Amino acid sequence: MSTIRPLSQADHPPEPGTLTDRICEQLKTAIVRGELAQGCKLNEPALAARYGISRGPLREALRRLEGLGLVVHVPHAGARVITLSRTEVLQIYHVREALEGMAARLAAELMTPAEIVELRSLLARHAHRIAADGGRAYFQQEGDTDFHDRIACASGNPGLVQMLRGELYHRLRMYRYQSSQQAARPAKALQEHEQIVDAIAERDGELAETLMRRHIRRARRAVAEQIRSEFEQPIHFVAEENR
Amino acid sequence: MSTIRPLSQADHPPEPGTLTDRICEQLKTAIVRGELAQGCKLNEPALAARYGISRGPLREALRRLEGLGLVVHVPHAGARVITLSRTEVLQIYHVREALEGMAARLAAELMTPAEIVELRSLLARHAHRIAADGGRAYFQQEGDTDFHDRIACASGNPGLVQMLRGELYHRLRMYRYQSSQQAARPAKALQEHEQIVDAIAERDGELAETLMRRHIRRARRAVAEQIRSEFEQPIHFVAEENR
DNA sequence: GAAGAACAGATTGTCGACAATCAGGCCTCT
DNA sequence: AGAGGCCTGATTGTCGACAATCTGTTCTTC
């Protein structure tokens, strides 16, 4: 079984191989950060010129982003950045609940003692940071992602990891970046994380799944509540040439 | 909320638009059916010639198949059909259990009475077929897929549907096609399907999820048992130029 | 004046050719 | 004889150009 590494540490090899890979990464971060606004049309000649490449690799990169669910492609009409409605954001949490619950269950069976120790130290660092500066929003979110990513990896199920890391997380990060969402309830979340690790350490997969699902359901409710309190326009602002 | 149609009925438009789409479909069915063996190298010039197109659209089709998880792509080394180890097949069932369990829960809340009626009639047809000819393996499998697909659609969660339909089902069908797997326990499975529909009809999402997960777990065990009873070579046979 | 059709511009889809990279075999050297 | 490096062949990566398709505008017609 191929072990799956968390992506926390350096994921910036000095020089990725192919142009398609590089452009794909650049576009991905641009989309997640909102530099390419939601619903924004992705003009092939313009983008190719902007990144100094030809249309061929760019098209392949777009096709790959389509596979990641960050871009929608309509034949003869071009590609657009996806638009994340509030409904869709909440739906992502349903999928997360299902997948990460299963990941926690599997992790409880497979995680090595060393990995559990490392996971605890990760939570200790989070606790320290929260105590120090109240957990500045951005790093808090990244820390949360880091925790969940490690559990996903520990499931030993590459397909599951692929779905979470390759599709859900990007869209969630996109929402977080572009919404004014502050990391609500960091201390509470940390406590829930610790309970989950406890369950894993006791090899109680059933409990780990239950706790993870409850944890994500609460996060979902927090997002739903925040969305409800926003009567303003969509998540950020809608691209001029939308729809 | 965009409604999601089951794919049961005609999914063969007379003439799809772009070459990439067409080749992608052809390659997909070829891979699922094992005409392109597992681990088989996908030579771009050869494939392009074989389908009478240029390498451009073919490469984009390969990239899309990569997104579907049917093909793995190594830079400068080309694309290969994935190899489904027995372990990976079983891991797919874990993901299915999580996702379809959630789908059943959501479907219990959202499914319209008309859809429930239709679902029951679908099961009635299955029952009839099983009573008639014992449920010949192929159609039984397809019928099973049909049932699960409808519930997935009824979840009203496009991302969830996309994951199930776009990634898991293809790989499962690939395994079924190429293994000697016969539809074990058709009558038992049908009975479980009916229980699930009952739970949905009563709007008991909790129960629907539990039953669906149990159903898939049993299917997983049946597959695991069958795999264990095969001491022969891998699923089908390994491509000559493998790995 | 409004509805419909033809046109123009731009954008996407497709193709063939060139350059960069990798795999395998052969030769040379120790 | 074995190990190492070089070379050749093939395959992938990249590019620019041409053809098909769509969108928005303008002209014609009722």
Side-chain angles (χ1 to χ4, degrees), chain B residues 101-123:
Chain B
M102 176 60 75
R105 174 187 288 266
L106 297 173
E109 302 170 5
L110 294 178
M111 219 167 187
T112 67
E115 285 174 326
I116 295 176
V117 167
E118 201 182 341
L119 198 52
R120 282 200 197 280
S121 82
L122 177 71
L123 290 187

Side-chain angles (χ1 to χ4, degrees), chain A residues 56 59-64 66-67 73, chain B residues 18-29 31 36 42 44 47-48 51 53-73 79-80:
Chain A
R59 283 173 65 89
E60 296 188 20
L62 288 179
R63 280 275 161 48
R64 196 185 295 179
E66 190 185 1
H73 185 91
Chain B
T18 140
L19 274 187
T20 302
D21 295 335
R22 234 174 314 178
I23 301 305
C24 190
E25 284 305 312
Q26 295 194 40
L27 286 177
K28 195 193 298 178
T29 59
I31 290 175
L36 289 169
L42 297 172
E44 295 181 4
L47 279 178
Y51 289 102
I53 60 169
S54 141
R55 275 179 57 213
L58 179 82
R59 283 173 65 90
E60 295 188 19
L62 287 179
R63 281 278 161 48
R64 197 185 293 179
L65 290 176
E66 191 186 358
L68 295 182
L70 288 177
V71 156
V72 291
H73 185 91
R80 309 190 91 96

Side-chain angles (χ1 to χ4, degrees), chain A residues 38-106:
Chain A
Q38 296 195 27
C40 172
K41 177 113 184 353
L42 297 172
N43 185 299
E44 295 181 4
L47 279 178
R50 175 169 164 185
Y51 289 103
I53 60 168
S54 143
R55 274 180 57 213
L58 180 83
R59 283 173 65 89
E60 296 188 20
L62 288 179
R63 280 275 161 48
R64 196 185 295 179
L65 290 176
E66 190 185 1
L68 295 183
L70 288 177
V71 156
V72 290
H73 185 91
V74 185
H76 300 289
R80 309 190 91 97
V81 180
I82 59 163
T83 59
L84 273 185
S85 71
R86 309 170 196 69
T87 307
E88 284 165 327
V89 170
L90 291 176
Q91 286 175 331
I92 290 177
Y93 276 86
H94 276 142
V95 180
R96 266 192 77 191
E97 179 186 333
L99 288 179
E100 295 205 33
M102 176 59 75
R105 174 187 289 266
L106 297 173

Side-chain angles (χ1 to χ4, degrees), chain B residues 53-182:
Chain B
I53 60 169
S54 141
R55 275 179 57 213
L58 179 82
R59 283 173 65 90
E60 295 188 19
L62 287 179
R63 281 278 161 48
R64 197 185 293 179
L65 290 176
E66 191 186 358
L68 295 182
L70 288 177
V71 156
V72 291
H73 185 91
V74 184
H76 301 290
R80 309 190 91 96
V81 179
I82 59 164
T83 59
L84 272 185
S85 70
R86 309 170 196 69
T87 307
E88 285 165 325
V89 171
L90 291 176
Q91 286 176 332
I92 290 177
Y93 276 86
H94 276 143
V95 180
R96 267 191 77 191
E97 179 186 331
L99 289 179
E100 295 204 33
M102 176 60 75
R105 174 187 288 266
L106 297 173
E109 302 170 5
L110 294 178
M111 219 167 187
T112 67
E115 285 174 326
I116 295 176
V117 167
E118 201 182 341
L119 198 52
R120 282 200 197 280
S121 82
L122 177 71
L123 290 187
R125 285 198 295 278
H126 291 177
H128 183 268
R129 173 155 261 148
I130 290 175
D133 58 3
R136 285 313 311 138
Y138 173 75
F139 284 109
Q140 165 62 21
Q141 297 281 18
E142 291 299 310
D144 182 78
T145 300
D146 200 355
F147 172 78
H148 286 274
D149 186 64
R150 274 170 201 255
I151 296 208
C153 293
S155 73
N157 190 321
L160 201 160
V161 176
Q162 163 67 17
M163 287 188 165
L164 284 171
R165 187 186 281 179
E167 311 190 19
L168 292 187
Y169 287 171
H170 290 314
R171 276 180 277 189
L172 273 186
R173 283 171 22 117
M174 180 172 165
Y175 169 69
R176 286 174 179 165
Y177 251 103
Q178 299 182 36
S179 78
S180 56
Q181 189 200 6
Q182 298 302 318

